[in-house]
Amino acid sequence: MLKVDLEALRALGRSLSATAASVGSLDPVAPITAAADAMPNSAFGAVARSAAIPTLAAYRGVSVRIRDMSSLSLASADSYEDTDRAFRDQLERLNGDRR
C-alpha cells in the first residue's frame, strides 16, 4: 500500500523553496574579485578573477534546480491528494451501487 505524508512533502517543497532563494541570493563575484585584487601580480589571482562569473552562473543554476525540486514536491503532494480523493470517491460510488 502506498502511503504518502502530504504535509511532509509540502514542508519539503517549502524548505526547498527557501533554500533556492538563499542560494540564488549568493553573489560570489565581489569576494572572488577582492581575492584576485589582493594578488595583483599572481597567476592565481588571474585565474580566480576568471572564475567569478562562472561561479555566479553555477550558483544561479543550482538555485533554479532546487526551485524545480520544490515545485515538483508541491505538485506531487497535490497530485497524490487528487488521486486519493478520486479513488475514494470512486470506491464510495461502487459501494453505493451495491446497496
Side-chain angles (χ1 to χ4, degrees):
M1 172 167 263
L2 179 64
K3 291 190 178 207
V4 176
D5 185 338
L6 297 176
E7 190 47 44
L9 196 52
R10 287 187 174 106
L12 173 64
R14 290 188 298 270
S15 175
L16 288 170
S17 180
T19 300
S22 293
V23 171
S25 71
L26 296 174
D27 187 352
V29 173
I32 291 172
T33 302
D37 289 347
M39 301 176 270
N41 298 318
S42 165
F44 182 76
V47 170
R49 182 180 307 282
S50 71
I53 299 304
T55 303
L56 176 62
Y59 278 121
R60 297 300 185 264
V62 168
S63 175
V64 167
R65 284 166 184 79
I66 295 171
R67 191 167 310 285
D68 289 345
M69 291 169 42
S70 168
S71 296
L72 289 170
S73 296
L74 296 171
S76 292
D78 291 342
S79 178
Y80 278 119
E81 192 169 52
D82 292 345
T83 301
D84 188 55
R85 185 179 305 111
F87 185 70
R88 183 189 65 235
D89 291 348
Q90 187 175 21
L91 281 176
E92 288 174 359
R93 279 193 299 277
L94 290 170
N95 286 334
D97 290 346
R98 290 183 181 176
R99 292 182 190 161

